[in-house]
Amino acid sequence: MRRKQKGATLVELIITIVIISIAIAGVVGAFALISGRSADPLNETRAVALAQLYIDEILSKKYDEQTPQGGVPRYSGGCNIGSDGETRAAFDDVDDYEGLMDKPPASALGAITGYSGFSVDVSVSCAGGEVGLPASQAKRIDVLISAPDNRSFLFSAYRANF
């Protein structure tokens, strides 16, 4: 009488190993793809926070050097762009920030921690016509943030003469 043997044959074991190997290779490939992109959302979030910091600082300043505190009466001169020779800590109007380049980023008070590898470029231009005002009555502030992964983010805001 022959007894039935229980268990797996060598062929069945080899086929199982091959199938499991293919499945593991797919899962590892998916994890590698996901982990390679995991810094993208972090850099995007940090770029937005950095741009907000710069834009808030710039928009808190007067429209022009000659604008009285509080903005009344409205400055009646043209749209002047460019620094008045002040240092960053003494910037007092929007156009003083024209051409500002910070690498690493810094506030008017000093360095900002946690942003190594980032750089900030600020440009200011007359832009009243873009928002339905006379050309000399608004300025556009463009803040270009460059992240360590070589991606750039452009943020813009307008400051009107009021």
Side-chain angles (χ1 to χ4, degrees), residues 49-82:
L50 191 56
Q52 189 67 54
L53 181 127
Y54 273 81
I55 288 173
D56 285 347
E57 178 184 331
I58 295 168
L59 290 178
S60 71
K61 306 300 181 182
K62 299 186 299 185
Y63 177 78
D64 191 84
E65 186 74 27
Q66 304 302 317
T67 302
Q69 196 65 31
V72 178
R74 180 188 297 195
Y75 172 66
S76 60
C79 181
N80 302 315
I81 303 294

PDB file of all heavy atoms in Angstrom, residues 49-82:
ATOM      1  N   ALA A  49       5.453  79.693   3.064  1.00  0.00           N
ATOM      2  CA  ALA A  49       5.653  80.387   4.343  1.00  0.00           C
ATOM      3  C   ALA A  49       6.713  81.479   4.211  1.00  0.00           C
ATOM      4  O   ALA A  49       6.554  82.587   4.744  1.00  0.00           O
ATOM      5  CB  ALA A  49       6.054  79.390   5.425  1.00  0.00           C
ATOM      6  N   LEU A  50       7.777  81.185   3.480  1.00  0.00           N
ATOM      7  CA  LEU A  50       8.846  82.165   3.284  1.00  0.00           C
ATOM      8  C   LEU A  50       8.362  83.352   2.467  1.00  0.00           C
ATOM      9  O   LEU A  50       8.634  84.512   2.803  1.00  0.00           O
ATOM     10  CB  LEU A  50      10.029  81.479   2.595  1.00  0.00           C
ATOM     11  CG  LEU A  50      11.339  82.222   2.528  1.00  0.00           C
ATOM     12  CD1 LEU A  50      11.813  82.623   3.912  1.00  0.00           C
ATOM     13  CD2 LEU A  50      12.385  81.354   1.845  1.00  0.00           C
ATOM     14  N   ALA A  51       7.618  83.093   1.403  1.00  0.00           N
ATOM     15  CA  ALA A  51       7.073  84.178   0.586  1.00  0.00           C
ATOM     16  C   ALA A  51       6.105  85.027   1.399  1.00  0.00           C
ATOM     17  O   ALA A  51       6.113  86.259   1.291  1.00  0.00           O
ATOM     18  CB  ALA A  51       6.368  83.608  -0.641  1.00  0.00           C
ATOM     19  N   GLN A  52       5.293  84.407   2.227  1.00  0.00           N
ATOM     20  CA  GLN A  52       4.354  85.155   3.067  1.00  0.00           C
ATOM     21  C   GLN A  52       5.103  86.068   4.024  1.00  0.00           C
ATOM     22  O   GLN A  52       4.705  87.215   4.237  1.00  0.00           O
ATOM     23  CB  GLN A  52       3.457  84.188   3.847  1.00  0.00           C
ATOM     24  CG  GLN A  52       2.329  84.882   4.571  1.00  0.00           C
ATOM     25  CD  GLN A  52       1.322  85.479   3.605  1.00  0.00           C
ATOM     26  OE1 GLN A  52       0.803  84.786   2.755  1.00  0.00           O
ATOM     27  NE2 GLN A  52       1.055  86.764   3.730  1.00  0.00           N
ATOM     28  N   LEU A  53       6.203  85.591   4.573  1.00  0.00           N
ATOM     29  CA  LEU A  53       6.999  86.408   5.477  1.00  0.00           C
ATOM     30  C   LEU A  53       7.524  87.658   4.765  1.00  0.00           C
ATOM     31  O   LEU A  53       7.404  88.773   5.277  1.00  0.00           O
ATOM     32  CB  LEU A  53       8.171  85.583   6.020  1.00  0.00           C
ATOM     33  CG  LEU A  53       9.065  86.326   6.992  1.00  0.00           C
ATOM     34  CD1 LEU A  53       9.196  85.524   8.270  1.00  0.00           C
ATOM     35  CD2 LEU A  53      10.438  86.535   6.383  1.00  0.00           C
ATOM     36  N   TYR A  54       8.075  87.486   3.571  1.00  0.00           N
ATOM     37  CA  TYR A  54       8.608  88.617   2.808  1.00  0.00           C
ATOM     38  C   TYR A  54       7.498  89.566   2.370  1.00  0.00           C
ATOM     39  O   TYR A  54       7.624  90.785   2.496  1.00  0.00           O
ATOM     40  CB  TYR A  54       9.390  88.124   1.584  1.00  0.00           C
ATOM     41  CG  TYR A  54      10.836  87.829   1.900  1.00  0.00           C
ATOM     42  CD1 TYR A  54      11.209  86.637   2.501  1.00  0.00           C
ATOM     43  CD2 TYR A  54      11.836  88.742   1.602  1.00  0.00           C
ATOM     44  CE1 TYR A  54      12.533  86.360   2.796  1.00  0.00           C
ATOM     45  CE2 TYR A  54      13.160  88.482   1.890  1.00  0.00           C
ATOM     46  CZ  TYR A  54      13.505  87.281   2.492  1.00  0.00           C
ATOM     47  OH  TYR A  54      14.819  87.025   2.792  1.00  0.00           O
ATOM     48  N   ILE A  55       6.409  89.021   1.846  1.00  0.00           N
ATOM     49  CA  ILE A  55       5.320  89.878   1.360  1.00  0.00           C
ATOM     50  C   ILE A  55       4.695  90.657   2.514  1.00  0.00           C
ATOM     51  O   ILE A  55       4.399  91.845   2.375  1.00  0.00           O
ATOM     52  CB  ILE A  55       4.280  89.043   0.586  1.00  0.00           C
ATOM     53  CG1 ILE A  55       4.889  88.621  -0.763  1.00  0.00           C
ATOM     54  CG2 ILE A  55       2.993  89.825   0.373  1.00  0.00           C
ATOM     55  CD1 ILE A  55       4.052  87.654  -1.557  1.00  0.00           C
ATOM     56  N   ASP A  56       4.513  90.020   3.664  1.00  0.00           N
ATOM     57  CA  ASP A  56       3.967  90.734   4.822  1.00  0.00           C
ATOM     58  C   ASP A  56       4.885  91.885   5.233  1.00  0.00           C
ATOM     59  O   ASP A  56       4.420  92.982   5.541  1.00  0.00           O
ATOM     60  CB  ASP A  56       3.758  89.785   6.005  1.00  0.00           C
ATOM     61  CG  ASP A  56       2.563  88.877   5.839  1.00  0.00           C
ATOM     62  OD1 ASP A  56       1.741  89.122   4.930  1.00  0.00           O
ATOM     63  OD2 ASP A  56       2.455  87.900   6.612  1.00  0.00           O
ATOM     64  N   GLU A  57       6.181  91.617   5.250  1.00  0.00           N
ATOM     65  CA  GLU A  57       7.136  92.669   5.609  1.00  0.00           C
ATOM     66  C   GLU A  57       7.062  93.829   4.623  1.00  0.00           C
ATOM     67  O   GLU A  57       7.018  94.996   5.013  1.00  0.00           O
ATOM     68  CB  GLU A  57       8.557  92.099   5.638  1.00  0.00           C
ATOM     69  CG  GLU A  57       9.610  93.142   5.951  1.00  0.00           C
ATOM     70  CD  GLU A  57      11.028  92.584   5.887  1.00  0.00           C
ATOM     71  OE1 GLU A  57      11.232  91.377   6.134  1.00  0.00           O
ATOM     72  OE2 GLU A  57      11.940  93.379   5.584  1.00  0.00           O
ATOM     73  N   ILE A  58       7.030  93.524   3.332  1.00  0.00           N
ATOM     74  CA  ILE A  58       7.032  94.574   2.305  1.00  0.00           C
ATOM     75  C   ILE A  58       5.731  95.367   2.327  1.00  0.00           C
ATOM     76  O   ILE A  58       5.741  96.600   2.266  1.00  0.00           O
ATOM     77  CB  ILE A  58       7.287  93.957   0.916  1.00  0.00           C
ATOM     78  CG1 ILE A  58       8.691  93.344   0.866  1.00  0.00           C
ATOM     79  CG2 ILE A  58       7.131  95.000  -0.182  1.00  0.00           C
ATOM     80  CD1 ILE A  58       8.950  92.457  -0.342  1.00  0.00           C
ATOM     81  N   LEU A  59       4.598  94.679   2.416  1.00  0.00           N
ATOM     82  CA  LEU A  59       3.305  95.371   2.392  1.00  0.00           C
ATOM     83  C   LEU A  59       3.066  96.227   3.643  1.00  0.00           C
ATOM     84  O   LEU A  59       2.197  97.095   3.636  1.00  0.00           O
ATOM     85  CB  LEU A  59       2.163  94.379   2.206  1.00  0.00           C
ATOM     86  CG  LEU A  59       2.082  93.722   0.831  1.00  0.00           C
ATOM     87  CD1 LEU A  59       0.940  92.711   0.795  1.00  0.00           C
ATOM     88  CD2 LEU A  59       1.924  94.754  -0.270  1.00  0.00           C
ATOM     89  N   SER A  60       3.824  95.988   4.686  1.00  0.00           N
ATOM     90  CA  SER A  60       3.660  96.798   5.889  1.00  0.00           C
ATOM     91  C   SER A  60       4.328  98.171   5.749  1.00  0.00           C
ATOM     92  O   SER A  60       4.134  99.041   6.592  1.00  0.00           O
ATOM     93  CB  SER A  60       4.228  96.070   7.108  1.00  0.00           C
ATOM     94  OG  SER A  60       5.647  96.026   7.043  1.00  0.00           O
ATOM     95  N   LYS A  61       5.075  98.365   4.662  1.00  0.00           N
ATOM     96  CA  LYS A  61       5.790  99.632   4.443  1.00  0.00           C
ATOM     97  C   LYS A  61       4.921 100.620   3.664  1.00  0.00           C
ATOM     98  O   LYS A  61       3.922 100.269   3.065  1.00  0.00           O
ATOM     99  CB  LYS A  61       7.094  99.382   3.680  1.00  0.00           C
ATOM    100  CG  LYS A  61       8.003  98.346   4.306  1.00  0.00           C
ATOM    101  CD  LYS A  61       8.423  98.723   5.707  1.00  0.00           C
ATOM    102  CE  LYS A  61       9.345  97.646   6.272  1.00  0.00           C
ATOM    103  NZ  LYS A  61       9.750  97.893   7.622  1.00  0.00           N
ATOM    104  N   LYS A  62       5.349 101.888   3.661  1.00  0.00           N
ATOM    105  CA  LYS A  62       4.636 102.942   2.940  1.00  0.00           C
ATOM    106  C   LYS A  62       4.724 102.700   1.433  1.00  0.00           C
ATOM    107  O   LYS A  62       5.618 102.009   0.957  1.00  0.00           O
ATOM    108  CB  LYS A  62       5.228 104.315   3.263  1.00  0.00           C
ATOM    109  CG  LYS A  62       5.156 104.696   4.718  1.00  0.00           C
ATOM    110  CD  LYS A  62       5.626 106.111   4.975  1.00  0.00           C
ATOM    111  CE  LYS A  62       7.067 106.333   4.587  1.00  0.00           C
ATOM    112  NZ  LYS A  62       7.581 107.663   4.942  1.00  0.00           N
ATOM    113  N   TYR A  63       3.810 103.326   0.686  1.00  0.00           N
ATOM    114  CA  TYR A  63       3.798 103.209  -0.771  1.00  0.00           C
ATOM    115  C   TYR A  63       5.058 103.827  -1.389  1.00  0.00           C
ATOM    116  O   TYR A  63       5.677 103.260  -2.273  1.00  0.00           O
ATOM    117  CB  TYR A  63       2.549 103.869  -1.359  1.00  0.00           C
ATOM    118  CG  TYR A  63       2.513 103.838  -2.860  1.00  0.00           C
ATOM    119  CD1 TYR A  63       2.160 102.678  -3.528  1.00  0.00           C
ATOM    120  CD2 TYR A  63       2.849 104.965  -3.604  1.00  0.00           C
ATOM    121  CE1 TYR A  63       2.134 102.638  -4.905  1.00  0.00           C
ATOM    122  CE2 TYR A  63       2.825 104.934  -4.988  1.00  0.00           C
ATOM    123  CZ  TYR A  63       2.473 103.769  -5.639  1.00  0.00           C
ATOM    124  OH  TYR A  63       2.453 103.724  -7.006  1.00  0.00           O
ATOM    125  N   ASP A  64       5.444 104.998  -0.905  1.00  0.00           N
ATOM    126  CA  ASP A  64       6.605 105.701  -1.448  1.00  0.00           C
ATOM    127  C   ASP A  64       7.303 106.447  -0.320  1.00  0.00           C
ATOM    128  O   ASP A  64       6.712 106.685   0.740  1.00  0.00           O
ATOM    129  CB  ASP A  64       6.171 106.686  -2.543  1.00  0.00           C
ATOM    130  CG  ASP A  64       7.339 107.237  -3.323  1.00  0.00           C
ATOM    131  OD1 ASP A  64       7.786 106.567  -4.269  1.00  0.00           O
ATOM    132  OD2 ASP A  64       7.829 108.333  -2.972  1.00  0.00           O
ATOM    133  N   GLU A  65       8.540 106.802  -0.553  1.00  0.00           N
ATOM    134  CA  GLU A  65       9.330 107.541   0.434  1.00  0.00           C
ATOM    135  C   GLU A  65       8.605 108.811   0.892  1.00  0.00           C
ATOM    136  O   GLU A  65       8.652 109.181   2.053  1.00  0.00           O
ATOM    137  CB  GLU A  65      10.690 107.903  -0.183  1.00  0.00           C
ATOM    138  CG  GLU A  65      11.659 108.554   0.764  1.00  0.00           C
ATOM    139  CD  GLU A  65      12.260 107.570   1.758  1.00  0.00           C
ATOM    140  OE1 GLU A  65      12.350 106.367   1.453  1.00  0.00           O
ATOM    141  OE2 GLU A  65      12.630 108.017   2.849  1.00  0.00           O
ATOM    142  N   GLN A  66       7.909 109.478  -0.037  1.00  0.00           N
ATOM    143  CA  GLN A  66       7.250 110.751   0.258  1.00  0.00           C
ATOM    144  C   GLN A  66       5.828 110.594   0.809  1.00  0.00           C
ATOM    145  O   GLN A  66       5.182 111.576   1.140  1.00  0.00           O
ATOM    146  CB  GLN A  66       7.199 111.618  -1.016  1.00  0.00           C
ATOM    147  CG  GLN A  66       8.559 111.866  -1.635  1.00  0.00           C
ATOM    148  CD  GLN A  66       9.517 112.548  -0.670  1.00  0.00           C
ATOM    149  OE1 GLN A  66       9.146 113.464   0.038  1.00  0.00           O
ATOM    150  NE2 GLN A  66      10.759 112.071  -0.636  1.00  0.00           N
ATOM    151  N   THR A  67       5.330 109.375   0.890  1.00  0.00           N
ATOM    152  CA  THR A  67       3.992 109.145   1.427  1.00  0.00           C
ATOM    153  C   THR A  67       3.993 109.418   2.924  1.00  0.00           C
ATOM    154  O   THR A  67       4.825 108.881   3.649  1.00  0.00           O
ATOM    155  CB  THR A  67       3.549 107.681   1.182  1.00  0.00           C
ATOM    156  OG1 THR A  67       3.584 107.413  -0.209  1.00  0.00           O
ATOM    157  CG2 THR A  67       2.153 107.428   1.717  1.00  0.00           C
ATOM    158  N   PRO A  68       3.075 110.258   3.396  1.00  0.00           N
ATOM    159  CA  PRO A  68       3.029 110.517   4.838  1.00  0.00           C
ATOM    160  C   PRO A  68       2.545 109.278   5.598  1.00  0.00           C
ATOM    161  O   PRO A  68       1.899 108.397   5.017  1.00  0.00           O
ATOM    162  CB  PRO A  68       2.028 111.667   4.968  1.00  0.00           C
ATOM    163  CG  PRO A  68       1.233 111.638   3.720  1.00  0.00           C
ATOM    164  CD  PRO A  68       2.080 111.010   2.662  1.00  0.00           C
ATOM    165  N   GLN A  69       2.880 109.207   6.869  1.00  0.00           N
ATOM    166  CA  GLN A  69       2.439 108.089   7.699  1.00  0.00           C
ATOM    167  C   GLN A  69       0.922 108.022   7.669  1.00  0.00           C
ATOM    168  O   GLN A  69       0.243 109.027   7.818  1.00  0.00           O
ATOM    169  CB  GLN A  69       2.934 108.275   9.139  1.00  0.00           C
ATOM    170  CG  GLN A  69       2.859 107.028   9.966  1.00  0.00           C
ATOM    171  CD  GLN A  69       3.780 105.928   9.450  1.00  0.00           C
ATOM    172  OE1 GLN A  69       4.830 106.183   8.882  1.00  0.00           O
ATOM    173  NE2 GLN A  69       3.375 104.700   9.637  1.00  0.00           N
ATOM    174  N   GLY A  70       0.375 106.860   7.429  1.00  0.00           N
ATOM    175  CA  GLY A  70      -1.067 106.690   7.327  1.00  0.00           C
ATOM    176  C   GLY A  70      -1.587 106.845   5.908  1.00  0.00           C
ATOM    177  O   GLY A  70      -2.715 106.501   5.617  1.00  0.00           O
ATOM    178  N   GLY A  71      -0.755 107.370   4.983  1.00  0.00           N
ATOM    179  CA  GLY A  71      -1.123 107.443   3.581  1.00  0.00           C
ATOM    180  C   GLY A  71      -1.994 108.622   3.188  1.00  0.00           C
ATOM    181  O   GLY A  71      -2.426 108.713   2.051  1.00  0.00           O
ATOM    182  N   VAL A  72      -2.290 109.538   4.122  1.00  0.00           N
ATOM    183  CA  VAL A  72      -3.155 110.674   3.815  1.00  0.00           C
ATOM    184  C   VAL A  72      -2.367 111.950   4.050  1.00  0.00           C
ATOM    185  O   VAL A  72      -1.773 112.115   5.111  1.00  0.00           O
ATOM    186  CB  VAL A  72      -4.422 110.645   4.690  1.00  0.00           C
ATOM    187  CG1 VAL A  72      -5.300 111.850   4.423  1.00  0.00           C
ATOM    188  CG2 VAL A  72      -5.189 109.357   4.463  1.00  0.00           C
ATOM    189  N   PRO A  73      -2.318 112.875   3.128  1.00  0.00           N
ATOM    190  CA  PRO A  73      -2.911 112.803   1.794  1.00  0.00           C
ATOM    191  C   PRO A  73      -2.115 111.865   0.895  1.00  0.00           C
ATOM    192  O   PRO A  73      -0.943 111.601   1.125  1.00  0.00           O
ATOM    193  CB  PRO A  73      -2.824 114.246   1.292  1.00  0.00           C
ATOM    194  CG  PRO A  73      -1.645 114.810   2.000  1.00  0.00           C
ATOM    195  CD  PRO A  73      -1.606 114.137   3.349  1.00  0.00           C
ATOM    196  N   ARG A  74      -2.789 111.382  -0.140  1.00  0.00           N
ATOM    197  CA  ARG A  74      -2.180 110.441  -1.074  1.00  0.00           C
ATOM    198  C   ARG A  74      -0.965 111.074  -1.740  1.00  0.00           C
ATOM    199  O   ARG A  74      -0.973 112.238  -2.095  1.00  0.00           O
ATOM    200  CB  ARG A  74      -3.194 110.049  -2.135  1.00  0.00           C
ATOM    201  CG  ARG A  74      -2.631 109.057  -3.141  1.00  0.00           C
ATOM    202  CD  ARG A  74      -3.560 108.832  -4.285  1.00  0.00           C
ATOM    203  NE  ARG A  74      -4.806 108.238  -3.809  1.00  0.00           N
ATOM    204  CZ  ARG A  74      -5.684 107.674  -4.608  1.00  0.00           C
ATOM    205  NH1 ARG A  74      -5.485 107.635  -5.900  1.00  0.00           N
ATOM    206  NH2 ARG A  74      -6.784 107.188  -4.126  1.00  0.00           N
ATOM    207  N   TYR A  75       0.083 110.255  -1.928  1.00  0.00           N
ATOM    208  CA  TYR A  75       1.293 110.709  -2.608  1.00  0.00           C
ATOM    209  C   TYR A  75       0.942 111.019  -4.055  1.00  0.00           C
ATOM    210  O   TYR A  75       0.363 110.196  -4.753  1.00  0.00           O
ATOM    211  CB  TYR A  75       2.368 109.629  -2.519  1.00  0.00           C
ATOM    212  CG  TYR A  75       3.596 109.901  -3.338  1.00  0.00           C
ATOM    213  CD1 TYR A  75       4.432 110.961  -3.043  1.00  0.00           C
ATOM    214  CD2 TYR A  75       3.918 109.087  -4.423  1.00  0.00           C
ATOM    215  CE1 TYR A  75       5.568 111.212  -3.794  1.00  0.00           C
ATOM    216  CE2 TYR A  75       5.046 109.319  -5.173  1.00  0.00           C
ATOM    217  CZ  TYR A  75       5.869 110.387  -4.850  1.00  0.00           C
ATOM    218  OH  TYR A  75       6.991 110.635  -5.593  1.00  0.00           O
ATOM    219  N   SER A  76       1.269 112.213  -4.518  1.00  0.00           N
ATOM    220  CA  SER A  76       0.860 112.620  -5.859  1.00  0.00           C
ATOM    221  C   SER A  76       1.994 112.550  -6.877  1.00  0.00           C
ATOM    222  O   SER A  76       1.807 112.913  -8.028  1.00  0.00           O
ATOM    223  CB  SER A  76       0.302 114.050  -5.813  1.00  0.00           C
ATOM    224  OG  SER A  76       1.293 114.936  -5.328  1.00  0.00           O
ATOM    225  N   GLY A  77       3.154 112.091  -6.475  1.00  0.00           N
ATOM    226  CA  GLY A  77       4.275 111.973  -7.411  1.00  0.00           C
ATOM    227  C   GLY A  77       4.124 110.760  -8.296  1.00  0.00           C
ATOM    228  O   GLY A  77       3.114 110.058  -8.279  1.00  0.00           O
ATOM    229  N   GLY A  78       5.116 110.488  -9.093  1.00  0.00           N
ATOM    230  CA  GLY A  78       5.095 109.333  -9.994  1.00  0.00           C
ATOM    231  C   GLY A  78       5.377 108.043  -9.252  1.00  0.00           C
ATOM    232  O   GLY A  78       5.418 107.990  -8.028  1.00  0.00           O
ATOM    233  N   CYS A  79       5.600 107.012 -10.012  1.00  0.00           N
ATOM    234  CA  CYS A  79       5.915 105.698  -9.461  1.00  0.00           C
ATOM    235  C   CYS A  79       7.428 105.550  -9.456  1.00  0.00           C
ATOM    236  O   CYS A  79       8.039 105.272 -10.487  1.00  0.00           O
ATOM    237  CB  CYS A  79       5.251 104.610 -10.308  1.00  0.00           C
ATOM    238  SG  CYS A  79       5.548 102.954  -9.684  1.00  0.00           S
ATOM    239  N   ASN A  80       8.033 105.754  -8.303  1.00  0.00           N
ATOM    240  CA  ASN A  80       9.491 105.665  -8.174  1.00  0.00           C
ATOM    241  C   ASN A  80       9.868 104.274  -7.699  1.00  0.00           C
ATOM    242  O   ASN A  80       9.282 103.760  -6.751  1.00  0.00           O
ATOM    243  CB  ASN A  80       9.995 106.712  -7.177  1.00  0.00           C
ATOM    244  CG  ASN A  80       9.608 108.107  -7.600  1.00  0.00           C
ATOM    245  OD1 ASN A  80       9.742 108.470  -8.760  1.00  0.00           O
ATOM    246  ND2 ASN A  80       9.106 108.896  -6.654  1.00  0.00           N
ATOM    247  N   ILE A  81      10.866 103.697  -8.347  1.00  0.00           N
ATOM    248  CA  ILE A  81      11.322 102.362  -7.986  1.00  0.00           C
ATOM    249  C   ILE A  81      12.808 102.435  -7.671  1.00  0.00           C
ATOM    250  O   ILE A  81      13.583 103.035  -8.404  1.00  0.00           O
ATOM    251  CB  ILE A  81      11.095 101.346  -9.135  1.00  0.00           C
ATOM    252  CG1 ILE A  81       9.630 101.292  -9.536  1.00  0.00           C
ATOM    253  CG2 ILE A  81      11.613  99.968  -8.766  1.00  0.00           C
ATOM    254  CD1 ILE A  81       8.701 100.758  -8.491  1.00  0.00           C
ATOM    255  N   GLY A  82      13.204 101.784  -6.587  1.00  0.00           N
ATOM    256  CA  GLY A  82      14.615 101.701  -6.243  1.00  0.00           C
ATOM    257  C   GLY A  82      14.880 102.126  -4.816  1.00  0.00           C
ATOM    258  O   GLY A  82      14.151 102.925  -4.236  1.00  0.00           O
TER     259      GLY A  82
END
